[in-house]
Amino acid sequence: MYLIFRRILTGLFKLLSIIRCLRSTIVQYVAFNPPEVGYLIRNRNEVIKTLTLSPMQEERSRTLDEPQSPLIQVKQPIRQSHQLTKEHLSIISPRIKYYNTLQSAEYKQQLRNPKNQHQYPSQEFNFISNELKAMEIDNNPGLPISSYVLESKSGNLIASIYIEFQNSEQIILYSHGNSTDIGLMFDTYVDIVMECKINLFSYDYSGYGQSTGYPTDINLLYDIESAYIFLVDQLQFEPRNIIIYGYSIGSGPSTNLASRHNVGGLIIHSGLSSGLRVIDPTIDQTSYYDIFPNIDYIVDVTAPVYLLHGGADSMINVVHAEQLAQNTNHLFSVWLVENGGHGDIEQQWKELYFKRLQRFLQYCQTAYVTKPHQKLNKRTTEHIYDECNFEKEIFQISLLEM
């Protein structure tokens, strides 16, 4: 019965994908699940620490309509279904451990400002409490934290967060999973920066958090492209020092980017081999209507690849990690966490998680390989993968020992 159900779903998606605009609509509502927005990005010079937001829509729109805050004017009318609620914010506020507002002269001097500061002004990243108050970030971990508003090729405004570790030349470009945003991921980001002593840059996909537009597979590719270009051209990081990190659905844009650009390394955390294979892992050939065909993208990745996946992942089966590993040219290691789920590896196996992550980051410093630049195709649906035949090999991955 389950096999029949899977075939019906894939067949239905194939039929509807004949009409491309309909395909994008289906992908938007089926594959993506943006959460409620629990953070603000505001102009740093306009921040008022005691600002209280009215629960009324008129007052909220008036309060947030600040100069040089491009997200405020565009975002609010688009996402009427994702208004802030006290129920949601009460979940967020207990998580807030680390704050950092760059008000002191010392931190302002430390901040790595973009080359074009007029186009990319440094923004303030704020949480919102369950009293609907904007909460400034204090200096507990001593990390300069800032936000930038990027514009993707699709024309959407992309919200981002940059956490700087002063003594590191490496930076992680983190693409988060579904049903979350950079606000909900903040604690995880700070942990990575503090434990690995590395810079971190993350962004919200189109339609997520404070980013404008709607989430589709092609929009996510444009989003990460704009983030990568910003790191190289504006923050002036060397490509060899940019480590791409894709968690869950974030493995799609991450693998695609690493297949086309010079990067220092690729981390796929609970990633998928392709969208339809989440429904049916036994698919042999990738169809043109599939989304995020990582199993094909990863063939062109010359950077070292580190795969980690939960052996008991009920959302994306562990077989996806095996499929990706088979097509990887420069495989650093595969860590299959026995009894690990989809989103608990970094919490339940925290010590091992950071030890292995640190080891991979060190390896990437000595394993850089350049590759020719490849342009981003206009639509992923123009890729025809049906002619690709993959060898069926018995592939076994043993648990790594420290």
Side-chain angles (χ1 to χ4, degrees):
M1 180 64 68
Y2 180 62
L3 178 61
I4 296 176
F5 178 70
R6 291 187 307 187
R7 289 180 176 175
I8 291 175
L9 281 180
T10 54
L12 182 61
F13 187 71
K14 177 180 180 180
L15 178 63
L16 296 177
S17 296
I18 297 175
I19 307 176
R20 288 183 173 178
C21 61
L22 187 58
R23 174 191 180 276
S24 298
T25 303
I26 296 171
V27 169
Q28 176 187 336
Y29 287 102
V30 174
F32 302 105
N33 183 30
E36 298 282 348
V37 183
Y39 70 93
L40 296 176
I41 292 181
R42 303 180 295 161
N43 179 265
R44 178 156 283 149
N45 296 327
E46 301 295 330
V47 168
I48 303 175
K49 294 185 178 181
T50 58
L51 177 65
T52 300
L53 304 180
S54 169
M56 298 179 61
Q57 179 62 33
E58 295 79 11
E59 286 295 317
R60 183 167 184 269
S61 299
R62 181 183 61 82
T63 304
L64 300 181
D65 190 14
E66 298 176 350
Q68 301 182 20
S69 297
L71 291 176
I72 301 303
Q73 300 178 13
V74 180
K75 181 67 178 178
Q76 201 57 37
I78 294 179
R79 296 289 299 282
Q80 293 295 332
S81 61
H82 291 276
Q83 298 299 320
L84 295 170
T85 63
K86 287 192 175 183
E87 289 76 12
H88 176 70
L89 296 176
S90 63
I91 299 175
I92 297 177
S93 56
R95 297 176 55 260
I96 304 175
K97 305 174 184 176
Y98 311 106
Y99 304 111
N100 175 6
T101 183
L102 303 181
Q103 300 299 318
S104 68
E106 177 184 358
Y107 278 122
K108 287 184 178 180
Q109 291 176 358
Q110 292 177 349
L111 181 65
R112 186 197 298 261
N113 288 312
K115 184 169 60 176
N116 189 347
Q117 297 184 35
H118 177 72
Q119 182 179 358
Y120 300 102
S122 176
Q123 306 283 333
E124 191 76 12
F125 182 87
N126 304 137
F127 288 103
I128 307 175
S129 72
N130 57 349
E131 292 84 16
L132 295 181
K133 293 181 180 179
M135 301 179 64
E136 305 299 336
I137 300 180
D138 69 28
N139 301 326
N140 190 0
L143 297 173
I145 298 171
S146 190
S147 290
Y148 299 97
V149 179
L150 313 179
E151 184 175 358
S152 71
K153 188 176 179 180
S154 61
N156 295 329
L157 298 178
I158 305 304
S160 69
I161 186 171
Y162 172 44
I163 306 177
E164 185 176 359
F165 192 88
Q166 294 296 317
N167 298 323
S168 175
E169 295 182 354
Q170 284 183 307
I171 186 168
I172 289 178
L173 174 53
Y174 197 112
S175 297
H176 59 68
N178 213 346
S179 303
T180 190
D181 59 24
I182 58 178
L184 294 172
M185 291 294 296
F186 182 77
D187 283 350
T188 299
Y189 294 160
V190 171
D191 286 344
I192 292 175
V193 172
M194 295 296 287
E195 294 288 340
C196 298
K197 297 177 173 56
I198 190 172
N199 303 283
L200 186 143
F201 186 93
S202 187
Y203 62 101
D204 266 336
Y205 310 131
S206 296
Y208 280 66
Q210 286 290 312
S211 295
T212 65
Y214 298 97
T216 65
D217 51 342
I218 189 62
N219 276 350
L220 264 65
L221 300 186
Y222 289 151
D223 297 342
I224 195 173
E225 183 88 2
S226 62
Y228 176 83
I229 292 174
F230 179 76
L231 293 185
V232 175
D233 292 348
Q234 299 297 327
L235 294 186
Q236 302 181 57
F237 281 96
E238 294 292 334
R240 66 179 303 138
N241 292 326
I242 300 177
I243 310 300
I244 311 300
Y245 193 125
Y247 169 68
S248 189
I249 202 169
S251 62
S254 297
T255 308
N256 178 278
L257 180 82
S259 70
R260 297 180 294 101
H261 286 285
N262 289 320
V263 298
L266 173 64
I267 302 168
I268 299 180
H269 182 167
S270 300
L272 50 100
S273 54
S274 77
L276 287 180
R277 286 181 174 87
V278 176
I279 302 173
D280 185 2
T282 63
I283 295 175
D284 290 330
Q285 298 178 343
T286 308
S287 302
Y288 71 92
Y289 50 85
D290 206 344
I291 67 170
F292 300 136
N294 297 334
I295 194 171
D296 304 319
Y297 292 154
I298 206 166
V299 174
D300 296 323
V301 177
T302 58
V305 177
Y306 172 36
L307 297 166
L308 61 154
H309 210 110
D313 192 334
S314 60
M315 187 171 296
I316 300 179
N317 194 282
V318 69
V319 72
H320 287 255
E322 300 174 359
Q323 292 170 344
L324 291 173
Q326 290 184 64
N327 282 15
T328 301
N329 294 313
H330 192 166
L331 183 61
F332 170 75
S333 68
V334 179
W335 182 27
L336 299 186
V337 183
E338 191 174 7
N339 300 322
H342 186 69
D344 60 356
I345 295 177
E346 60 271 43
Q347 285 85 32
Q348 299 297 324
W349 291 267
K350 186 173 183 178
E351 183 178 355
L352 273 178
Y353 169 79
F354 283 115
K355 281 185 178 180
R356 294 173 185 275
L357 185 55
Q358 290 167 3
R359 182 197 294 178
F360 177 69
L361 295 174
Q362 293 172 358
Y363 176 79
C364 290
Q365 292 179 324
T366 60
Y368 179 68
V369 178
T370 59
K371 69 186 306 299
H373 171 70
Q374 299 179 25
K375 291 184 178 180
L376 175 63
N377 285 338
K378 185 177 181 180
R379 299 187 65 87
T380 56
T381 51
E382 291 179 354
H383 297 184
I384 305 298
Y385 298 103
D386 290 328
E387 299 177 356
C388 298
N389 295 317
F390 302 107
E391 296 181 2
K392 298 179 180 179
E393 300 178 353
I394 299 176
F395 192 82
Q396 296 180 346
I397 307 174
S398 59
L399 296 177
L400 298 180
E401 300 295 336
M402 292 303 298

